[in-house]
């Protein structure tokens, strides 16, 4: 058992993947000598060499396009997008090439590419550095999309994503990079594309992923002091969604609140709310509610705490749910 920050867990997971498979190659801006702006790849170029940890030009489309070529030749590229908002120059490559080549080639050309994206706000940065673009990718057939929330998942899910034969967009909650927890480096991890209950409860089901899992857990703790029991489910996988544990929970609690940082309108919460409403209609005591970002451009750092969903906004939604 090791105590690791989420960032260090990612670094350790990358190191293990590179040790296990010489075909794993890392690519990205400033990931070599600098170790990345968040130091996730710190020390890897020194230990594995410049041929396997590649400092690229500032050209996201070129980085992902090169990863496509490497994947065609049997490599397993792991691409780092420096900040969430920088992924859009590569969007065309991701949705028209990375996501489609396996089907286009009738299965002859797998695309074992992992695209790491630090996402979300909370670090005092500005627009293009604090985005939550996960819905764009979850909507794209051919891509798998996951989001980690804690060091153990960061360590294991990154290795599982790299080993997966299909492309995986791997979202990392940048404001949680410094959160610490114990990680069992020898445990058998749960399946990559699975959600799980991280706190049991009876009154309301809270669904969250990435940075909002910690917020949901804090809300559950605060609600307990008021005599309410909230169950928290970490979705972990966004495409495909694993809703079996969610439906089991909602059928028992009868109430559901979905929480994410991304803008509420047409965010993943909308799809999840629709699916839960369809499958759990006769068990629901209240409509499925959503807590998300406002439909505005990400604000300057002085205002981001007003923008980001917090404990009070989650508990307000719980109050509304309980009021039906």
């Amino acid at each position: 058992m090791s105590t690791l920050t989420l960032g260090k867990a990612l670094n350790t997971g990358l190191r293990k993947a590179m040790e296990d498979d010489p075909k794993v190659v890392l690519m990205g801006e400033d990931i070599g000598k600098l170790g990345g702006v968040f130091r996730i790849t710190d020390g890897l170029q020194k230990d594995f060499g410049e041929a396997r940890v590649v400092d690229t030009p500032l050209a996201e489309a070129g980085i992902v396009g090169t990863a496509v070529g490497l994947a065609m030749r049997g490599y397993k590229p792991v691409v780092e997008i420096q900040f969430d908002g920088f992924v859009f120059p590569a969007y065309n490559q991701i949705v028209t090439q990375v996501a489609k080549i396996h089907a286009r080639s009738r299965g002859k050309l797998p695309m074992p590419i992992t695209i790491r994206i630090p996402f979300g706000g909370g670090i005092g940065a500005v627009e293009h550095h604090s985005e939550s673009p996960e819905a764009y990718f979850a909507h794209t057939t051919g891509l798998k999309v996951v989001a980690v929330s804690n060091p153990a998942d960061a360590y294991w899910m990154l290795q599982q994503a790299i080993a997966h034969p299909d492309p995986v967009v791997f979202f990392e909650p940048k404001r949680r990079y410094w959160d610490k927890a114990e990680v069992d480096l020898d445990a058998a991890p749960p399946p990559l594309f699975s959600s799980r209950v991280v706190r049991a409860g009876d009154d309301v089901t809270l669904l969250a992923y990435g940075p909002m899992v910690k917020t949901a857990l804090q809300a559950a703790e605060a609600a307990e002091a008021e005599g309410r029991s909230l169950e928290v489910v970490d979705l972990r996988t966004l495409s495909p969604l694993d809703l079996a544990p969610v439906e089991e929970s909602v059928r028992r609690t009868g109430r559901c609140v979905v929480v994410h940082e991304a803008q509420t309108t047409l965010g993943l919460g909308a799809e999840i709310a629709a699916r839960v409403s369809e499958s759990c209609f006769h068990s629901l005591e209240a409509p499925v509610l959503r807590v998300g970002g406002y439909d505005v451009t990400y604000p300057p750092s002085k205002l981001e705490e007003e923008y980001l969903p917090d404990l009070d906004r989650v508990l307000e939604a719980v109050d509304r749910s309980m009021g039906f």
Side-chain angles (χ1 to χ4, degrees), residues 86-279:
F86 297 177
V87 74
F88 296 110
Y91 187 74
N92 179 48
Q93 288 284 350
I94 295 171
V95 302
T96 65
Q97 305 299 337
V98 173
K100 302 294 192 292
I101 286 178
H102 194 199
R104 187 183 301 147
S105 67
R106 301 298 186 264
K108 293 180 181 178
L109 294 173
M111 283 282 111
I113 298 174
T114 304
I115 301 172
R116 295 180 41 243
I117 305 178
F119 83 123
I123 64 167
V126 294
E127 59 174 299
H128 307 312
H129 295 73
S130 302
E131 314 291 326
S132 296
E134 59 270 19
Y136 292 108
F137 301 103
H139 189 69
T140 302
T141 302
L143 297 176
K144 305 292 178 65
V145 184
V146 300
V148 298
S149 67
N150 60 78
D153 278 351
Y155 174 73
W156 286 112
M157 289 175 68
L158 184 52
Q159 293 179 71
Q160 291 170 310
I162 294 169
H164 194 68
D166 292 326
V168 178
V169 182
F170 191 93
F171 282 102
E172 304 166 5
K174 66 172 78 75
R175 67 164 150 156
R176 307 301 186 201
Y177 275 150
W178 300 274
D179 288 2
K180 289 184 178 181
E182 288 193 341
V183 179
D184 188 344
L185 304 180
D186 300 313
L192 176 60
F193 304 112
S194 63
S195 57
R196 64 188 181 97
V197 175
V198 292
R199 179 182 174 117
D202 300 312
D203 296 332
V204 180
T205 300
L206 295 184
L207 309 180
Y209 58 86
M212 285 291 100
V213 173
K214 183 175 181 177
T215 303
L217 288 169
Q218 291 170 337
E221 186 174 344
E224 186 177 35
E226 300 174 356
R228 287 178 175 168
S229 174
L230 308 186
E231 181 147 298
V232 180
V233 179
D234 183 350
L235 292 173
R236 300 173 77 248
T237 174
L238 309 182
S239 181
L241 286 165
D242 175 30
L243 294 184
V246 172
E247 293 165 353
E248 181 181 346
S249 175
V250 173
R251 289 191 180 104
R252 184 164 35 78
T253 65
R255 304 174 193 275
C256 181
V257 176
V258 190
V259 187
H260 56 59
E261 273 192 31
Q263 294 176 6
T264 305
T265 301
L266 296 178
L268 277 172
E271 173 67 17
I272 295 166
R275 298 267 292 272
V276 171
S277 296
E278 289 173 3
S279 61

